[in-house]
Amino acid sequence: MRYWLSIVVATPAHSSVAGPLTYRSECPLPPGSLVRVPLGKREVLGVVWEALPDSGDLPESQSRAVLGALDGLAPLSATWRRLVGFTASYYQRSIGEVALAALPPQLRELSTVQLARRLKRPVAPAPDAPVTTDLIALSAEQERAIAEFDADTRPALLFGATGSGKTEVYLRAAAKVLASDTSAQVLVMVPEINLTPQLQARFEERFAHLGKAQVVSMHSGLTPAQRLKSWLAAHAGQARLVLGTRMAIFASLPNLRLIVVDEEHDPSYKQQEGARYSARDLAVYRAMLESARSQAGDSEGAEAFPLPAGAAEPALPGRRRSAPPGGSAVREATSVGACRVLLGSATPSLESWQATVVGRYQRLTMSERIGGAEQQGSLPAVRLVDMNHQPKHCTIAPPLLDAIAQRIARGEQSLIFLNRRGYAPVLACHDCGWKSECPHCSAFRVFHKIDRTLRCHHCGFTERVPRACPACGNIDIAPVGKGTERLEEHIAELLAGDHPVRRPDGSPLRIARIDADTTRLKGALESQLASVHAREVDVLVGTQMIAKGHDFRHITLVAAINPDGALFSSDFRAPERLFGLLMQAAGRAGRDADHGEASEMWVQTFHPQHPLFAALKKHDYPAFAAQELKEREAAGMSPFGFSALVRAEARDQAVAQGFLNAAAAAAQTQQLPGMEAVTPYPAVPMTIQRVANIERAQMLVESPSRAALQRFLAAWQPLLHQTRQQGDFKSLVRWAIDVDPLAI
Ligand code: ADP
Ligand code: ZN
Ligand code: ZN
C-alpha cells in the first residue's frame, strides 16, 4: 500500500518551498506524526500535516519517500497543529518554520535510536509527599478573585496591585485544575528567565506531592538536553505543570486546562524575530482552541490547514470575538475539559484592559497589598520633583539626596533607576564638536569607564577610548550625560561629601549596580540580588532590570532619575510602558508591611503637570488607562485599530524605502483584497536608521479591521516576494512583516 502525505519541514522564510511538501510512505502515518524526510541532500525532521488522497500531479518517479517515523512519540495533537497553523497564517510566516521552531532543537539531531533510548528512561515516580494542606489563609480579595474566576468562562484578567498576592491566586487556580483531573496540565508563563527560578521554587514546593518530575520549565536558558527532557515530559502528559517563557506557548500539552500569563503586559512576550508572535495573545487563542477540542472531541485530521486567510476572522484580542474553525460554541464551554486563561498584571496592556471594559474578558480586581488593608495607603507615596526648580544640571535633586541619606542612616535601602547603562551615552570634544559616533550605525557609542571603551549598543563595535580627540587632537574630551555607571559613581561622591553618610552602626555605606553590564556572567545577577536581600547594600543603582518582579523586602525608597523621554516619544506605546515601569518600580518599595507607611517613590521630571504623573500619584491605573484609551480611540490606534510594519534592510536607504514603496504601489494597482479598508503609509527610515552598516526602513500599514488587514497581508506577501526580484531590489538584505508590532 502507498500513502501520500503532506509534510511540513523547516523552510527558510522566503524560499520557494514555503508550504507543506508531498512525500510517500509505505505505511499510514497519522497527522501530527514526527518523521525524518529527505530535503535536497539533507535528512530533516518533519511533521505530517495531513494525509492526501493521492499524489496530486506529482509523478510517482519524482516523489520522495519518508525515511522513518520517530516511533514511540505520539502524534502532535490536532489542536497543536491548529495553533501552529493559525500562528503561521496570522503572523505571515510558513507553517514549517513555525512548527519546527516550536519543537526542541535536539529532536532534530537525535537519531531514532538515540530517541528511543531517551524515551525508555524511567520517569521518577511521584513521591508520597502529602498534598500541602497548611496553606496560608487567603485574603478577602484573593478569595473573591478565585470565586469569580471559577464562576466564569471568559479569558480572565487579574488586575492586582504589586504585592496583592497574585501568585497565590495562580497557585490555587492551578491546584484546583490539577486536583480535578489526574491528567490535567497547566501552563504558567513568565516574561523573563530570571524570574523562573523563584516562581519555579514556589510551584515545586506547593506541588511537591506531584514530584519534581511533574513540574518542568521551558526557556532558552536550559541546555538542549534539558529542553528536550521537559518537552518530552510535557508531550507525554507526565509533566503536569509547565513553567516557561514565551516559547512555552507552543509546548505540546495533550491535556492543557489552564494557562496563566504572569505580567501579561510585558513586551518580552512578543517574539522579535522569525514569526513575530505574541505569546500572550496566543495564550488566549490557544485556550479557546483547547476548549473547542474538549467540546468537539479531538478528531484527528478533520480540519484543513492552513486556515484559509480571512476565512475566519482571527480571534486574537481585538474588537470582536469569533469562533475558531470547528468550534462554534466556545463561550458555552464550561464542561469538564475546557481550558481557561488567566492573565495577570498590576498594569495590564491597554489591549487586555479594553477587552475587560467591553466584557470580552473577565476582570478580577485586587487593589490592596497583602497586610496593607489596615494601614491605609501602604503603596508608597509618590513624590514628584520639579526639576525646573532645582539647581541647573543637577542629576540628583538635593531633596532626593537628602531622603536617600536618611534612609541609609536608618538602615533602609534605596533603589535608583535610570534607563541607560554605561558611564555616559556620548563622549564629546568641546573644541571641535566631535562626538563618539559609531562608524557603522546612526548612533553614538557609549562610554564605559570601567574598561575605558567606547561601545556601540547596537552593533557591538568596541574601541579603546582615544587619548585625544580623533578629529582635532584636543586632549580634553569629556563624557556628556549619565548612564548607570556614572550615576553610581556620582551618588557615591555626593554621599561621601562634607558630612559622609554612615550606616546606623557607623560603617561606610555600600552602593551596588545591577544592569546588563554587571550581570553578564552566569550567576552574577543571583549573587548581586542575594547581597541586596542580605542588606549588604544600601543603595542599588540600575536599569529597568531591577524594577521588575524582584521581591525586595527592605527597600523604602525608589527613585526614577530621568523618565521624561517617554512622555514625548514618537512611539504611541511609550507612555504605557513608562507608566507600567514606574508602577512596577513603586511596587518594589515598602513590600515589608513594617515599612509600608514610610516608603516613597520619587520621580524627577521637568513636566510635573503631565496627566501620566497625576495618575501615578494616585496609583490609579484605571484613570491612566481611560485617558490613554480615549486618545487611542480618537487616533484609531490599538486596540481600536490594527497595524503591521513591514521592515526592509539594504546597503542603501533608497533601495530599502524604494522596495517598500514599490510593493505598496503594486498592491494599489492590483487592488488587493482588503485594500479598501487598509492604509499603507509611505516608507520611512527607522529611528535608528543604520545598524552595522545596514540601512533600515519601515512601512506602517493600518486598518480599522483586523480581518481586512489579514486579507490584505496574505495577498500582499507574494507581491512583496515578486517586487524583491526586480532590478535594484535584488540587493535587499532582508525584509519581514511584523503584525501587531509593539514598537513603532
Ligand atoms: P504580586 O505577585 O501580586 O505582586 P505576591 O504574589 O508576590 O504579589 O505576594 C506578595 C507577598 O504576599 C508574597 O510574599 C506572598 O507570599 C504573600 N502572600 C500572598 N498571599 C498571602 C496571604 N493570603 N496571606 C499572607 N501572605 C500572603
Ligand atoms: Zn576635537
Ligand atoms: Zn554600531
Side-chain angles (χ1 to χ4, degrees), residues 468-684:
C469 170
C472 74
N474 171 19
I475 51 166
D476 199 15
I477 46 177
V480 179
K482 281 191 177 67
T484 45
E485 200 184 323
R486 192 176 190 186
L487 182 63
E488 179 188 13
E489 182 185 282
H490 186 61
I491 291 176
E493 281 166 11
L494 290 174
L495 292 171
D498 300 338
H499 308 285
V501 180
R502 300 248 160 203
R503 308 171 104 180
D505 64 2
S507 62
L509 69 122
R510 254 187 82 176
I511 302 178
R513 170 165 60 95
I514 294 186
D515 57 29
D517 295 319
T518 66
T519 54
R520 207 151 275 154
L521 297 174
K522 205 172 158 65
L525 178 62
E526 291 72 16
S527 71
Q528 284 170 334
L529 290 175
S531 71
V532 176
H533 290 302
R535 306 178 85 158
E536 290 160 15
V537 170
D538 304 292
V539 180
L540 178 61
V541 175
T543 52
Q544 60 176 334
M545 220 170 141
I546 51 175
K548 283 187 192 175
H550 307 290
D551 193 356
F552 298 123
R553 296 270 126 181
H554 311 290
I555 286 181
T556 59
L557 182 149
V558 171
I561 295 303
N562 181 18
D564 279 350
L567 296 176
F568 307 102
S569 163
S570 60
D571 183 347
F572 75 94
R573 281 199 179 83
E576 176 183 349
R577 279 196 298 270
L578 175 61
F579 190 83
L581 180 65
L582 294 177
M583 288 280 281
Q584 295 284 326
R588 297 307 118 216
R591 284 174 79 90
D592 205 333
D594 293 348
H595 299 307
E597 278 156 304
S599 64
E600 290 176 341
M601 160 98 192
W602 289 63
V603 179
Q604 299 194 140
T605 175
F606 285 96
H607 307 277
Q609 307 308 327
H610 199 284
L612 186 149
F613 293 130
L616 182 73
K617 260 185 110 94
K618 289 185 265 167
H619 299 279
D620 193 349
Y621 169 84
F624 168 77
Q627 166 73 28
E628 251 334 268
L629 284 167
K630 208 162 69 192
E631 284 175 24
R632 293 216 193 155
E633 183 161 28
M637 288 184 296
S638 177
F640 302 98
F642 303 92
S643 67
L645 275 181
V646 189
R647 300 204 174 92
E649 299 184 2
R651 295 269 159 209
D652 182 350
Q653 178 67 223
V655 170
Q657 286 188 31
F659 161 72
L660 295 170
N661 289 331
Q668 210 87 37
T669 315
Q670 299 195 14
Q671 277 304 302
L672 294 188
M675 194 88 211
E676 65 290 346
V678 169
T679 313
Y681 292 89
V684 292

Side-chain angles (χ1 to χ4, degrees), residues 212-406:
K212 267 203 171 178
Q214 304 209 29
V215 179
V216 305
S217 58
M218 273 186 198
H219 54 76
S220 58
L222 300 179
T223 65
Q226 288 169 324
R227 251 176 91 174
L228 178 65
K229 195 173 163 209
S230 295
W231 188 88
L232 288 173
H235 178 65
Q238 287 152 357
R240 306 284 309 285
L241 198 133
V242 174
L243 249 154
T245 52
R246 65 171 176 262
M247 62 159 65
I249 191 59
F250 293 112
S252 168
L253 294 156
N255 201 13
L256 180 59
R257 304 276 293 280
L258 172 68
I259 309 176
V260 173
V261 184
D262 190 22
E263 309 288 1
E264 66 91 32
H265 63 278
D266 198 289
S268 70
Y269 282 121
K270 184 94 159 64
Q271 167 76 19
Q272 292 298 344
E273 57 191 39
R276 291 170 163 75
Y277 63 86
S278 157
R280 188 254 332 267
D281 292 351
L282 287 180
V284 174
Y285 191 77
R286 182 166 186 177
M288 195 159 53
L289 285 179
E290 302 280 355
S291 296
R293 159 186 67 96
S294 79
Q295 282 230 319
D298 200 351
S299 47
E300 287 294 338
E303 67 300 306
F305 291 100
L307 291 183
E313 178 164 350
L316 285 185
R319 276 185 172 165
R320 261 191 299 151
R321 179 193 180 104
S322 59
S328 52
V330 180
R331 250 178 209 289
E332 287 77 45
T334 43
S335 58
V336 196
C339 179
R340 293 292 302 280
V341 61
L342 176 57
L343 314 175
S345 176
T347 51
S349 64
L350 289 174
E351 283 78 7
S352 298
W353 183 257
Q354 177 62 14
T356 69
V357 171
V358 297
R360 222 158 28 82
Y361 292 2
Q362 176 190 24
R363 187 193 302 167
L364 311 166
T365 305
M366 302 199 302
S367 49
E368 276 160 14
R369 287 179 143 192
I370 292 291
E374 312 82 47
Q375 303 161 293
Q376 253 303 307
S378 70
L379 278 165
V382 174
R383 309 195 46 164
L384 298 176
V385 183
D386 185 345
M387 295 304 276
N388 297 295
H389 299 149
Q390 299 301 324
K392 261 206 162 71
H393 305 303
C394 79
T395 307
I396 297 195
L400 172 57
L401 187 68
D402 226 39
I404 296 171
Q406 285 173 25

Side-chain angles (χ1 to χ4, degrees), residues 438-443 445 455-461 690-692:
C438 174
H440 310 296
C441 304
S442 49
R445 276 175 300 164
R455 273 188 240 160
C456 175
H457 288 186
H458 300 281
C459 72
F461 180 67
R690 187 166 48 101
V691 169

Side-chain angles (χ1 to χ4, degrees), residues 427-484:
L427 202 61
C429 166
H430 293 297
D431 267 8
C432 76
W434 173 86
K435 285 188 173 128
S436 57
E437 274 170 71
C438 174
H440 310 296
C441 304
S442 49
F444 293 113
R445 276 175 300 164
V446 175
F447 173 38
H448 289 256
K449 191 176 175 185
I450 200 154
D451 55 1
R452 298 208 63 84
T453 55
L454 288 177
R455 273 188 240 160
C456 175
H457 288 186
H458 300 281
C459 72
F461 180 67
T462 301
E463 275 181 338
R464 302 246 338 136
V465 170
R467 282 179 198 288
C469 170
C472 74
N474 171 19
I475 51 166
D476 199 15
I477 46 177
V480 179
K482 281 191 177 67
T484 45

Side-chain angles (χ1 to χ4, degrees), residues 101-163:
L103 298 171
Q106 245 198 1
L107 211 50
R108 276 178 236 174
E109 291 140 30
L110 286 188
S111 71
T112 320
V113 179
Q114 286 168 314
L115 182 69
R117 208 178 301 140
R118 197 63 60 99
L119 289 170
K120 271 205 210 95
R121 283 189 196 155
V123 184
D128 279 337
V131 177
T132 317
T133 47
D134 56 338
L135 297 174
I136 36 172
L138 292 177
S139 71
E141 285 191 326
Q142 286 171 327
E143 203 82 73
R144 186 159 38 99
I146 291 168
E148 285 177 10
F149 179 69
D150 286 344
D152 209 301
T153 60
R154 290 170 293 170
L157 174 67
L158 177 56
F159 169 52
T162 45

